[in-house]
Amino acid sequence: ALVASCVASEVATMEDAVTFLDGLKQKCPNAVLMLDAKQIAALDSDPKASFQGATSNEDFIKLAEAYFSCKYAMEQAKSSLKNALTDPHSTGKKIDVEDQENAIACLKLVTERLMALWQSRLEATEESEGESGLPRVVRLSRRLNLNKKESLTMVFVLVTHVFERSIGRFGRFNANQNMYGSDSLSVCKACDMTITEMIEFLSQDREHMKQGIFPDVQQNYIMSSALSYDDSSFKALLGITLRPNEFLKIEQTPLADIVAEEAGSKHLRSEDGPVEPEPVNKGDAEKEEAVVKVDTAPTDAMPQDAAADVKPKESKDKGEGV
């Protein structure tokens, strides 16, 4: 534990991403071996780099996925160590407690580093791009006045939706294990929420629930319900262009307002723009207008009331034809 504490304090002071990774490799080589390419890429990112451009929403989700998967690896490492120490069949087996504690401490450090990158890059984005430049899921959480845990839940549900509703990884402690799923209890664990907090978050009285943002949640079975966005909300949160019929599903909601606030938002509803009414032939429209004027306009020779009683004279040709 003392070694792990010293390692954490040394690496935590490293601000530069390259220095951080180099220091981690030197002090915690075993922990680095458990990191995948996505997590290393996230750690290697510039803390002052803003999320911008067409892929800003996806880039943020990739960073969030690295955070949640690393958090999972840390929890699995703790569980593995606990099982090794309490397993009655482990008597006589060599258990390198110090090595595992060191790995857990480093994974905790990496998790904290990723969360720090999460926060610093959002701050850099808001400073350079304004609030409208923030990832949509972040702005939606603000618009709904969600607290920190609830906002984290909104991001986590989006991450699980992107990565097939569950996050998996191959790790040193548990190979091919599924991470937290999208069910309410798993979300509680991933976002450090209590059951009471989750029930409150999914209450039918909350604004996001009234808007049907989690359509699969059943109020009578909240804790066994799965949290996932409907397809239109999911695409909108990722910054994917919506077709007109898809945009209709989110109209008059905070998410629709968020989409409309972005620069060039008039092109976000569909590739061709909003659906327009079918055009009327100009010649037909003018002819119809002329007929109306002839049939209803009063004449100069009689009052308006009298003119209204006069029926249009039938065509002579029409009469002969009949």
Side-chain angles (χ1 to χ4, degrees):
L2 180 59
V3 172
S5 177
C6 292
V7 169
S9 63
E10 286 185 42
V11 183
T13 59
M14 302 175 183
E15 296 296 334
D16 183 73
V18 177
T19 306
F20 178 87
L21 284 172
D22 288 341
L24 195 65
K25 290 176 183 178
Q26 294 175 9
K27 303 295 182 180
C28 314
N30 291 332
V32 173
L33 292 175
M34 292 186 296
L35 301 179
D36 59 25
K38 293 179 181 179
Q39 294 163 340
I40 292 177
L43 288 170
D44 199 32
S45 62
D46 183 357
K48 298 180 180 180
S50 61
F51 298 104
Q52 55 183 316
T55 62
S56 60
N57 294 285
E58 292 184 36
D59 292 342
F60 172 69
I61 295 304
K62 288 179 182 178
L63 175 57
E65 191 269 343
Y67 165 78
F68 284 117
S69 60
C70 191
K71 187 172 185 288
Y72 169 73
M74 179 182 65
E75 296 298 329
Q76 291 289 34
K78 290 179 181 179
S79 177
S80 177
L81 177 58
K82 179 180 178 180
N83 292 336
L85 293 174
T86 58
D87 185 2
H89 300 290
S90 64
T91 305
K93 295 181 181 179
K94 182 179 179 181
I95 301 175
D96 193 340
V97 175
E98 183 177 298
D99 178 61
Q100 294 205 35
E101 287 183 341
N102 189 25
I104 292 170
C106 287
L107 284 172
K108 182 176 184 295
L109 182 64
V110 171
T111 303
E112 292 173 349
R113 171 75 177 186
L114 289 170
M115 177 50 71
L117 285 168
W118 176 326
Q119 296 172 344
S120 64
R121 293 191 64 183
L122 286 179
E123 291 173 0
T125 301
E126 187 167 14
E127 183 177 347
S128 63
E129 308 294 327
E131 186 177 14
S132 62
L134 290 171
R136 290 180 178 179
V137 67
V138 175
R139 284 185 285 146
L140 180 60
S141 297
R142 288 188 180 184
R143 195 66 55 88
L144 294 171
N145 296 316
L146 303 182
N147 61 38
K148 184 177 180 180
K149 290 182 181 180
E150 292 171 343
S151 300
L152 195 64
T153 298
M154 296 287 283
V155 177
F156 177 78
V157 173
L158 186 57
V159 169
T160 58
H161 204 139
V162 171
F163 296 95
E164 300 179 353
R165 299 180 182 272
S166 65
I167 304 173
R169 61 169 282 106
F170 293 87
R172 171 187 176 192
F173 298 102
N174 285 284
N176 197 22
Q177 292 286 321
N178 284 329
M179 191 188 165
Y180 324 103
S182 58
D183 62 281
S184 299
L185 285 174
S186 294
V187 175
C188 280
K189 186 176 181 182
C191 302
D192 299 318
M193 294 183 78
T194 65
I195 293 178
T196 301
E197 289 172 332
M198 178 58 71
I199 292 175
E200 168 61 24
F201 175 63
L202 298 178
S203 171
Q204 61 185 356
D205 298 328
R206 298 292 297 272
E207 186 63 28
H208 56 280
M209 297 304 294
K210 290 179 181 179
Q211 295 168 9
I213 201 162
F214 297 130
D216 296 333
V217 173
Q218 301 180 41
Q219 290 299 316
N220 292 333
Y221 305 97
I222 286 182
M223 296 314 296
S224 59
S225 296
L227 274 66
S228 62
Y229 296 104
D230 64 90
D231 288 342
S232 296
S233 297
F234 170 65
K235 289 181 179 180
L237 288 172
L238 282 183
I240 298 174
T241 301
L242 299 180
R243 294 189 293 271
N245 63 317
E246 291 175 326
F247 190 86
L248 285 174
K249 295 179 181 179
I250 66 168
E251 264 191 326
Q252 297 184 350
T253 67
L255 181 54
D257 295 338
I258 286 169
V259 173
E261 288 170 358
E262 297 179 0
S265 60
K266 62 182 180 180
H267 302 299
L268 293 174
R269 296 190 178 191
S270 70
E271 297 293 346
D272 302 318
V275 176
E276 300 291 344
E278 187 174 343
V280 179
N281 184 280
K282 185 176 180 181
D284 293 341
E286 291 176 348
K287 185 185 297 183
E288 182 179 351
E289 184 178 358
V291 171
V292 171
K293 289 181 178 179
V294 170
D295 289 347
T296 61
T299 65
D300 296 335
M302 65 182 68
Q304 182 175 350
D305 294 338
D309 295 332
V310 176
K311 295 181 180 180
K313 184 176 180 181
E314 292 186 0
S315 170
K316 181 178 180 181
D317 295 338
K318 182 178 179 181
E320 293 175 352
V322 174

